[in-house]
Amino acid sequence: MTSIETHVRKPYEYGWSTDIESDLAPVGLNEDIIRLISAKKSEPEWLLEWRLKAYRHWLTMTEPRWPNVKYDPVDYQAIHYYAAPKQEKQLDSLDEVDPKLLATFAKLGIPISEQKRLSGVAVDAIFDSVSVATTFKATLKEAGVIFLPFSEAVQEHPDLVRKWLGSVVPYTDNFFATLNSAVFTDGSFVFVPKGVRCPMELSTYFRINAMSTGQFERTLIIAEEGAYVSYLEGCSAPARDENQLHAAVVELIALDDAQIKYSTVQNWYPGDEDGKGGIYNFVTKRGLCRGRNSKISWTQVETGSAITWKYPGCILQGDNAVGEFYSVALTNNYQQADTGTKMIHIGKNTRSTIVSKGISAGHGQNTYRGLVKIMKGAENARNYSQCDSMLIGDQCGAHTFPYIDVRNSTATMEHEASTTKVGEDQIFYCQQRGLSAEDAVSMIVNGFCREVFKELPMEFAVEAQNLLGISLEGSVG
Amino acid sequence: MLQITNLHASVEGTEILRGVDLSVNAGEVHAIMGPNGSGKSTLALVIAGHPSFTVTQGSVTFEGVDLLELLPEERARMGVFMAFQYPVEIRGITNAYFLRAAVNTLRKARGLEEYDTIDFLDVLEEKLKVIGWSESFLSRPVNEGFSGGEKKRNEILQMAVLEPKLAVLDETDSGLDIDAVRLVAEAVNSLRSPERATVIVTHYQRILNYLTPDYVHVLYDGRIVKSGGKELALELEEKGYDWLREEVVAG
């Protein structure tokens, strides 16, 4: 098996950094820092109070140790909780954005110049702690859709933000979500009013640039009765020797007959081939299907980060609500992922589908952890879960922890699991037909992930396939 | 075309091939027979370049090129094809996609234009007739959920599409019912041409009823101990392999 055991990763493609002066908060965390962040964003008093409540609660909490990942303790006092590229205040148009920032996003392939109108996707580009540009604001406004950086939404729609913020992930939720509630800086806010089908895909691109900073974004998406929105997020960061913390919170709310589709292609810096550096991706994502016949779909392709800890879930409160979770998580070199979902069935006839594909290569450790909970009143609830693991080489690991909690005897539960090893024979078979070993692995892995990729919007599906190919490059010799 | 000289090969330190000599010219069909464990499949896999086997002595050349120096895919691109005894499954990748990826890699290597989806479907339609399949097989994942016989037929479909110069069939007939054996034989016959050669590794004589080999070789204990015409196969069918042991021991 020597040919499969040779692991040399192609350098991370997005590992460069932008040389731009930053407005940095002093290092460390205390109430003054939180007041500083809140003041920088000119926030109303209630939001500052909310942050402070979260911070005080956080001080009583301890970092979770149950995930199946290993890392050195994070020094929360060694992080800058706010970093912004220095620029003149109040930009009226994209022309005023620092060309270095525009160049950064251009290099990342993110179209923030509206003239290009690539693929008709509205983009919110977030650089460290602030939103740099949001495209297509006017077009969306016409349709009645609000798509704003979170800090602007606080200014322009304070009532909406106040009504929904923390309604799905309360500030007491968990260690990282609580930390985020205290120090979150920017993120996206989406509001799709009753009966509106959002006319284009919405997308946020997150970029960590400054050193020794954490990124704590907060995203809130509300789809009113009968509304529909598809939202994509992408992310990357420079290659650095230090570990950087990313602790985001995403809250989704779907009212009656509303549908939210949330897709992620996560490509934070994964660390080098010896496991040095990389992003700690500790994220809380949850959707509330509040209304009848509402639907929330999570699709994630997780290829980056040194450590991933996230469980995008759905609370199926409304009758006939549908929750879906489609995931591809890849760990190569020394990456570790503990990821999965939570499906909480409360309403009658609620349905959930879980399709998880874990790929481990190099010394990667990949854990699926999922909870399906059927509450007492959830008559005729149904769940289908499928957890597939793929191993490449013999130094990696795949682990599955499915938790099932059923409190109503009318529930129907299905769980399927498989583990496959990409063997020399499979690769040899493809080679015998003329394909190179790398193309063979890429093809085998893409075939394995097909059920998830077909859930992604078109442009993202192609990006995800390429990303998997790149992330696996060199995993066979 | 194919020249094998004094080939020794081992797996995990155990020598399986102990000096094989074989010469195959364009236009010829050779059958390699022998009892279980004689090294028939090893010979096929070594020609194709399977990494589990180490060649310790001897040489294999194809059209004058040292095959042992080449990666498996480079051999394939030169026109060496192997039909596997146990074809693997590839989940989520359709037969059509896999075939097109393979044929285009070969065409590219040979400086030919790659097929687009539409052209390729026309090519496939023609080839499907060779094995008597409907198009529904094309949208199924490679070998997934295929019966043993279907997997073997799929190997023949791949051979028909890839049009190799040298095809090595490793026990393609075993596990097939008599109709399927005839179909495989007909497919091989239809690909016969003065530019191509076929090496059929088989345990049984029956497939040779449908495709007449020019030469029959008996592989025994890692060596070719006897070669002859098609009548040798009949003799083996009648007498089994035991008499050879006596001959080898006496030899």
Side-chain angles (χ1 to χ4, degrees):
Chain A
M1 296 296 281
T2 50
S3 65
I4 301 184
E5 280 163 4
T6 322
H7 293 278
V8 190
R9 177 186 260 274
K10 184 186 168 185
Y12 179 68
E13 222 180 313
Y14 307 99
W16 42 271
S17 62
T18 307
D19 182 17
I20 194 161
E21 215 183 324
S22 282
D23 177 9
L24 275 180
V27 74
L29 181 56
N30 53 52
E31 294 201 1
D32 286 343
I33 293 288
I34 292 166
R35 285 177 212 282
L36 175 79
I37 294 170
S38 192
K40 289 258 183 212
K41 306 265 177 196
S42 317
E43 286 176 353
E45 190 59 27
W46 64 263
L47 190 50
L48 174 61
E49 281 308 314
W50 194 76
R51 287 175 180 276
L52 290 171
K53 270 196 290 185
Y55 175 66
R56 287 166 199 151
H57 186 74
W58 183 71
L59 291 174
T60 69
M61 302 171 95
T62 49
E63 201 170 327
R65 282 286 157 207
W66 51 263
N68 187 24
V69 296
K70 291 193 188 80
Y71 58 94
D72 293 333
V74 177
D75 182 355
Y76 292 93
Q77 294 302 339
I79 297 171
H80 293 281
Y81 285 85
Y82 182 84
K86 270 195 180 149
Q87 61 182 17
E88 294 305 311
K89 276 205 133 186
Q90 282 305 320
L91 303 179
D92 290 327
S93 79
L94 273 174
D95 304 339
E96 297 171 30
V97 175
D98 189 322
K100 274 186 189 164
L101 285 177
L102 290 179
T104 298
F105 284 99
K107 198 169 165 188
L108 291 167
I110 312 303
I112 55 175
S113 139
E114 285 192 28
Q115 291 95 315
K116 286 190 181 165
R117 290 191 182 260
L118 284 171
S119 63
V121 178
V123 179
D124 184 14
I126 295 184
F127 191 85
D128 291 334
S129 303
V130 292
S131 170
V132 172
T134 308
T135 61
F136 292 100
K137 271 192 217 171
T139 318
L140 291 167
K141 204 171 176 182
E142 253 170 62
V145 175
I146 301 169
F147 178 41
L148 287 174
F150 202 92
S151 46
E152 278 180 43
V154 169
Q155 305 301 325
E156 293 182 27
H157 305 280
D159 295 342
L160 278 178
V161 174
R162 195 172 183 177
K163 180 174 177 189
W164 298 109
L165 179 68
S167 67
V168 186
V169 180
Y171 71 81
T172 52
D173 196 82
N174 69 70
F175 185 83
F176 298 113
T178 301
L179 175 62
N180 172 286
S181 301
V183 303
F184 74 86
T185 42
D186 225 326
S188 294
F189 177 83
V190 178
F191 181 82
V192 188
K194 196 169 173 175
V196 171
R197 194 181 164 87
C198 187
M200 59 180 72
E201 305 271 354
L202 304 182
S203 170
T204 302
Y205 196 90
F206 297 98
R207 174 76 177 170
I208 295 178
N209 189 64
M211 282 177 76
S212 308
T213 55
Q215 186 159 24
F216 305 93
E217 83 264 8
R218 186 108 196 169
T219 294
L220 180 54
I221 300 176
I222 302 128
E224 282 197 328
E225 291 83 353
Y228 169 86
V229 62
S230 168
Y231 177 93
L232 330 165
E233 67 170 351
C235 27
S236 64
R240 298 195 196 282
D241 287 348
E242 56 168 11
N243 293 110
Q244 282 179 286
L245 180 62
H246 170 251
V249 172
V250 175
E251 296 178 277
L252 312 181
I253 297 126
L255 303 186
D256 287 355
D257 304 301
Q259 194 179 334
I260 302 174
K261 189 172 165 60
Y262 192 105
S263 313
T264 304
V265 174
Q266 185 265 107
N267 188 24
W268 296 117
Y269 177 57
D272 68 10
E273 67 269 21
D274 299 318
K276 198 171 167 67
I279 302 290
Y280 291 164
N281 189 36
F282 300 147
V283 170
T284 304
K285 291 182 169 177
R286 199 171 300 149
L288 173 62
C289 283
R290 223 170 95 118
R292 290 172 60 86
N293 311 316
S294 54
K295 179 177 176 183
I296 290 179
S297 298
W298 297 100
T299 306
Q300 60 172 22
V301 176
E302 305 278 324
T303 61
S305 297
I307 298 174
T308 295
W309 179 97
K310 64 180 280 203
Y311 314 92
C314 298
I315 300 169
L316 305 170
Q317 187 182 319
D319 290 348
N320 313 321
V322 176
E324 293 176 336
F325 174 75
Y326 299 97
S327 170
V328 167
L330 177 135
T331 50
N332 195 2
N333 297 318
Y334 285 88
Q335 284 176 273
Q336 306 174 65
D338 190 316
T339 183
T341 185
K342 286 188 207 173
M343 293 290 177
I344 315 292
H345 293 250
I346 300 170
K348 295 184 179 65
N349 305 313
T350 45
R351 280 180 292 142
S352 61
T353 302
I354 299 170
V355 177
S356 163
K357 306 277 181 178
I359 302 151
S360 313
H363 293 84
Q365 293 294 329
N366 212 316
T367 299
Y368 168 81
R369 188 185 301 276
L371 168 69
V372 180
K373 192 168 185 173
I374 312 285
M375 305 298 274
K376 245 191 175 124
E379 290 288 315
N380 300 315
R382 275 191 293 163
N383 165 264
Y384 171 76
S385 300
Q386 184 189 335
C387 302
D388 297 324
S389 304
M390 178 175 263
L391 301 168
I392 303 174
D394 53 12
Q395 304 290 313
C396 54
H399 318 268
T400 305
F401 301 103
Y403 302 87
I404 295 172
D405 179 356
V406 180
R407 300 176 186 190
N408 183 311
S409 60
T410 61
T412 310
M413 313 286 291
E414 281 177 81
H415 186 96
E416 287 179 23
S418 75
T419 303
T420 36
K421 191 159 189 233
V422 178
E424 215 155 48
D425 282 335
Q426 234 175 346
I427 295 170
F428 178 67
Y429 186 80
C430 296
Q431 283 182 293
Q432 213 302 307
R433 301 302 184 246
L435 303 169
S436 68
E438 273 181 357
D439 287 347
V441 170
S442 178
M443 178 186 276
I444 292 162
V445 169
N446 275 309
F448 176 72
C449 299
R450 210 180 70 95
E451 290 150 285
V452 173
F453 287 165
K454 70 181 170 49
E455 298 297 326
L456 286 171
M458 196 59 159
E459 319 82 59
F460 256 40
V462 175
E463 190 187 325
Q465 286 191 26
N466 293 338
L467 195 55
L468 270 195
I470 291 165
S471 300
L472 279 168
E473 228 160 80
S475 68
V476 290
Chain B
M1 180 183 263
L2 178 73
Q3 192 67 46
I4 300 177
T5 313
N6 189 32
L7 183 65
H8 290 250
S10 55
V11 61
E12 287 165 4
T14 309
E15 189 167 63
I16 312 272
L17 300 182
R18 303 158 182 259
V20 174
D21 293 290
L22 179 68
S23 179
V24 178
N25 296 310
E28 295 175 350
V29 173
H30 290 242
I32 297 188
M33 303 184 71
N36 286 332
S38 59
K40 301 190 300 290
S41 288
T42 298
L43 178 60
L45 289 163
V46 168
I47 294 170
H50 195 285
S52 294
F53 299 94
T54 314
V55 172
T56 51
Q57 255 191 78
S59 68
V60 181
T61 61
F62 178 72
E63 295 186 322
V65 177
D66 182 359
L67 269 196
L68 301 178
E69 286 296 307
L70 302 180
L71 292 169
E73 61 267 36
E74 292 167 334
R75 303 181 196 199
R77 290 167 196 169
M78 282 188 72
V80 176
F81 176 91
M82 175 178 169
F84 285 73
Q85 187 178 2
Y86 304 108
V88 302
E89 300 180 1
I90 306 174
R91 237 170 123 173
I93 297 295
T94 64
N95 242 347
Y97 181 89
F98 181 72
L99 276 168
R100 191 160 79 93
V103 78
N104 277 341
T105 311
L106 299 188
R107 288 179 72 86
K108 204 171 154 189
R110 291 166 195 166
L112 298 169
E113 207 178 314
E114 295 179 41
Y115 288 126
D116 64 26
T117 320
I118 314 254
D119 288 348
F120 185 60
L121 280 177
D122 290 343
V123 174
L124 269 181
E125 206 175 320
E126 205 51 43
K127 304 294 183 184
L128 278 170
K129 287 182 196 152
V130 175
I131 54 158
W133 264 0
S134 73
E135 282 182 25
S136 66
F137 276 89
L138 298 176
S139 51
R140 285 171 58 177
V142 180
N143 292 327
E144 200 183 48
F146 281 36
S147 71
E150 285 172 341
K151 286 182 184 177
K152 298 293 181 74
R153 278 209 224 182
N154 208 15
E155 295 293 288
I156 300 302
L157 173 65
Q158 293 182 16
M159 180 176 81
V161 171
L162 300 178
E163 301 182 327
K165 289 185 197 159
L166 172 69
V168 181
L169 279 57
D170 187 10
E171 305 217 12
T172 303
D173 55 328
S174 54
L176 295 186
D177 61 34
I178 196 71
D179 291 334
V181 168
R182 187 162 54 217
L183 202 126
V184 166
E186 280 166 7
V188 173
N189 278 332
S190 73
L191 291 169
R192 253 175 138 153
S193 87
E195 294 83 42
R196 295 193 189 137
T198 307
V199 174
I200 299 166
V201 172
T202 180
H203 199 72
Y204 306 104
Q205 190 277 140
R206 60 179 189 171
I207 193 169
L208 306 178
N209 290 334
Y210 307 104
L211 50 93
T212 316
D214 299 298
Y215 300 94
V216 175
H217 310 275
V218 181
L219 191 64
Y220 190 89
D221 202 18
R223 277 186 212 99
I224 287 177
V225 295
K226 203 168 181 69
S227 297
K230 61 179 180 186
E231 64 289 342
L232 177 57
L234 294 167
E235 195 180 349
L236 288 168
E237 178 82 351
E238 195 181 316
K239 294 162 71 177
Y241 291 108
D242 281 350
W243 63 280
L244 279 166
R245 182 180 301 148
E246 286 146 32
E247 251 184 39
V248 171
V249 171

